[in-house]
C-alpha cells in the first residue's frame, strides 16, 4: 500500500476529502505550518498523527524547509499531498521530494496562479473557472497537471459563492488523483504532460455539470 503525508495550513476540508475518499492511500501524518490550524484536531480524531512545524519558529525559509522536510521524511511517504498548504517552499525542498509533491489549486491553471483566485477570476470576467491538481515544481502553481474540474461562473456570483462551487469540485478531483497515485497509474512526467495509465479512464479532466440553479 502506498502512503502519503498531508500538509495543511487551515481548516483542512481537502484533507478530509482525501482521508474519507477511499483513495487506497495510507495517510501516515498530517503536518501544518500553523499550530492553530483547525485540521490538526480533525486528523487526530481520525487517529492520524498530526503535528505542527511552525514556520514562525525558524529564522529563514531554508531552516523551515529543512525542518518540514525532516518531519515528512520521518514517515517515509510515497507522496506528500498539499491540502490548503499556504507556504511557499524553496527549490531544495522541492528537489528533496521530487515527483512526490502534489498540490490542489483553486483555478484552472495556468490561469490565476497565486492567491485570491476567485476574486481575480470574477474581475477578469471569465465564464469558466475551476480547480487543478498538479505536481509541485519549483515554479509556483506551475507543475504538470493531473486533473482539473471546471465550473461555470454565474451572474451574481460573489467570491464566496464561486469559492464554494469550486471547493465542491476540489473535493471530487483530489481523491480521484490520490486514487490514481495509489494505483501507480500516474507519475511525475519527464515531458511535462501527465498521462493516466490503465483502462477505464476515459479522460483526465472532469467537467462538472451545473449542480446549482
Ligand atoms: C482550497 O481552496 C485550496 O485549493 C486552497 O485553499 C483552500 C483550502 O481549503 N489552496 P481547505 O483547507 O482544504 O479547506
Amino acid at each position: 500500500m502506498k502512503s502519503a503525508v498531508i500538509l495543511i495550513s487551515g481548516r483542512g476540508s481537502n484533507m478530509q476529502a482525501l482521508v474519507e475518499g477511499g483513495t487506497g492511500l495510507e495517510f501516515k501524518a498530517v503536518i501544518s505550518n500553523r499550530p492553530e490550524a483547525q485540521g490538526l484536531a480533525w486528523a487526530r480524531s481520525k487517529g492520524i498523527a498530526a503535528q505542527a512545524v511552525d514556520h514562525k519558529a525558524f529564522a529563514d525559509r531554508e531552516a523551515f524547509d529543512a525542518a518540514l522536510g525532516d518531519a515528512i521524511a520521518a514517515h517515509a511517504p510515497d507522496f506528500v499531498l498539499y491540502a490548503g498548504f499556504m507556504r511557499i517552499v524553496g527549490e531544495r525542498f522541492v528537489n528533496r521530494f521530487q515527483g512526490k509533491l502534489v498540490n490542489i489549486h483553486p483555478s484552472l491553471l495556468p490561469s490565476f496562479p497565486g492567491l485570491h483566485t476567485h476574486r481575480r477570476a470574477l474581475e477578469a470576467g471569465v465564464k469558466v473557472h475551476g480547480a487543478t491538481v498538479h505536481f509541485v515544481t519549483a515554479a509556483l502553481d506551475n507543475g504538470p497537471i493531473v486533473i482539473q474540474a471546471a465550473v461555470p461562473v454565474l451572474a451574481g456570483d460573489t467570491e464566496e459563492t464561486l469559492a464554494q462551487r469550486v471547493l465542491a469540485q476540489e473535493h471530487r478531483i483530489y481523491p480521484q488523483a490520490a486514487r490514481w497515485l495509489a494505483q501507480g497509474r500516474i507519475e511525475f512526467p519527464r515531458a511535462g504532460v501527465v498521462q493516466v495509465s490503465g483502462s477505464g479512464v476515459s479522460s483526465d479532466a472532469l467537467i462538472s455539470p451545473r449542480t446549482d440553479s
Side-chain angles (χ1 to χ4, degrees), residues 52-76:
V53 179
D54 185 354
H55 65 271
K56 292 196 216 83
F58 297 89
D60 53 32
R61 181 183 292 169
E62 286 271 296
F64 168 70
D65 284 4
L68 177 65
D70 290 346
I72 294 167
H75 299 283

Side-chain angles (χ1 to χ4, degrees), residues 39-57:
L40 287 173
W42 186 89
R44 283 190 198 106
S45 78
K46 296 287 165 184
I48 301 172
Q51 72 180 99
V53 179
D54 185 354
H55 65 271
K56 292 196 216 83

Side-chain angles (χ1 to χ4, degrees), residues 12 14 60 70 78 82 102 130-131 136 168 177 201:
N14 276 293
D60 53 32
D70 290 346
D78 293 297
Y82 293 28
V102 177
V136 175
V201 180

Side-chain angles (χ1 to χ4, degrees), residues 90-205:
E91 202 166 343
R92 186 178 292 185
F93 178 92
V94 173
N95 290 339
R96 182 173 180 182
F97 297 103
Q98 174 81 289
K100 294 177 189 274
L101 302 173
V102 177
N103 182 39
I104 184 146
H105 182 76
S107 79
L108 290 173
L109 292 173
S111 290
F112 311 120
L115 296 174
H116 310 302
T117 55
H118 310 305
R119 187 191 312 165
R120 288 157 60 210
L122 288 172
E123 283 167 1
V126 296
K127 306 308 176 203
V128 178
H129 187 43
T132 303
V133 176
H134 65 96
F135 282 104
V136 175
T137 60
L140 178 70
D141 298 329
N142 195 34
I145 292 169
V146 175
I147 186 169
Q148 294 184 303
V151 302
V153 179
L154 303 179
D157 259 340
T158 63
E159 221 176 312
E160 290 70 33
T161 59
L162 188 53
Q164 218 173 17
R165 192 175 308 117
V166 171
L167 193 65
Q169 298 307 314
E170 295 183 43
H171 296 164
R172 273 175 78 202
I173 61 174
Y174 214 178
Q176 175 65 77
R179 219 166 289 133
W180 288 335
L181 289 169
Q183 294 165 351
R185 288 162 73 172
I186 49 175
E187 53 188 44
F188 187 79
R190 285 178 207 285
V193 176
V194 176
Q195 305 287 346
V196 183
S197 68
S199 60
V201 180
S202 57
S203 167
D204 57 0

